[in-house]
Amino acid sequence: MTGIFTLGILGLSLSVDAFAAAVGKGATVQNARLNDAVRIGAVFGFFEAITPVIGWVLGLALSTWIAAVDHWIAFGLLLVIGGNMIRLACTGHDAETPEHDVRQSRHNRGVLGLVTTALATSIDATAVGVSLGVMRVNILAACLVIGGTTTVVATLGVIIGRHASVWIGRYAEILGGMALIGIGCSILYTHLSAP
């Protein structure tokens, strides 16, 4: 049985992408408070916790297929989200649009973007879930440790990003989008260059 220390290291390694995305998210969220950071961190942690279960349930029969496409899915999602963030930062919003509508649109876009980003950064954990099933690891314990670790790491990422936004000002959303695209490219490169 895999120990809690090993699962903690696994959780840290899986949360690296979530951390980078959370830093970008923290830089773009205006006036983010600690409870906002925890909420965003919890969303990342939730998806990082459930995706190993999906892999575990899919089992060995699909492990080759999952490993073959997970990096392409993550790359595509992060490219679209990051590109959209950059586009919206560059175009701004229409001066004719009422401020309430602008806030509501940003909120809706923010929630959908957060969920999609969290899902994209956790897709690789699906293949890890298949491995956990083969190793006969207690999947509940693994998911709790992985999800908890990612929640803490992503929360810290949001806090760091929020403080960094003071220095990067209006370019925060552009940098956040570029960071997401960079994460997607890194995921793709890592998988394609693996022996």
Side-chain angles (χ1 to χ4, degrees):
M1 172 121 169
T2 304
I4 199 82
F5 178 75
T6 305
L7 290 176
I9 296 298
L10 177 62
L12 281 173
S13 67
L14 289 174
S15 66
V16 170
D17 292 344
F19 174 77
V23 169
K25 189 69 176 169
T28 61
V29 174
Q30 295 178 351
N31 303 319
R33 297 180 303 267
L34 179 60
N35 62 335
D36 296 321
V38 171
R39 179 181 53 81
I40 292 168
V43 171
F44 279 101
F46 172 76
F47 281 100
E48 203 71 56
I50 64 166
T51 49
V53 175
I54 295 168
W56 187 70
V57 169
L58 290 175
L60 295 176
L62 298 178
S63 63
T64 304
W65 181 83
I66 293 167
V69 297
D70 66 348
H71 51 283
W72 286 106
I73 295 169
F75 171 73
L77 287 172
L78 291 170
L79 183 66
V80 168
I81 296 164
N84 192 46
M85 282 176 67
I86 293 169
R87 181 186 66 80
L88 291 171
C90 291
T91 59
H93 66 276
D94 186 356
E96 302 289 320
T97 307
E99 186 60 32
H100 176 270
D101 292 346
V102 170
R103 283 196 308 268
Q104 186 63 37
S105 172
R106 284 182 182 162
H107 172 73
N108 292 341
R109 189 175 69 226
V111 171
L112 180 61
L114 173 62
V115 169
T116 309
T117 303
L119 181 61
T121 58
S122 63
I123 285 176
D124 56 345
T126 306
V128 170
V130 174
S131 302
L132 294 175
V134 172
M135 296 165 40
R136 299 192 184 281
V137 172
N138 180 330
I139 194 68
L140 179 60
C143 290
L144 288 174
V145 172
I146 291 168
T149 303
T150 302
T151 298
V152 171
V153 168
T155 299
L156 291 173
V158 173
I159 292 168
I160 291 168
R162 188 189 94 200
H163 291 295
S165 69
V166 173
W167 298 305
I168 57 180
R170 65 187 186 93
Y171 298 105
E173 197 161 5
I174 293 172
L175 292 174
M178 290 172 64
L180 291 182
I181 292 171
I183 293 167
C185 291
S186 173
I187 290 170
L188 189 62
Y189 175 78
T190 301
H191 283 280
L192 293 180
S193 64

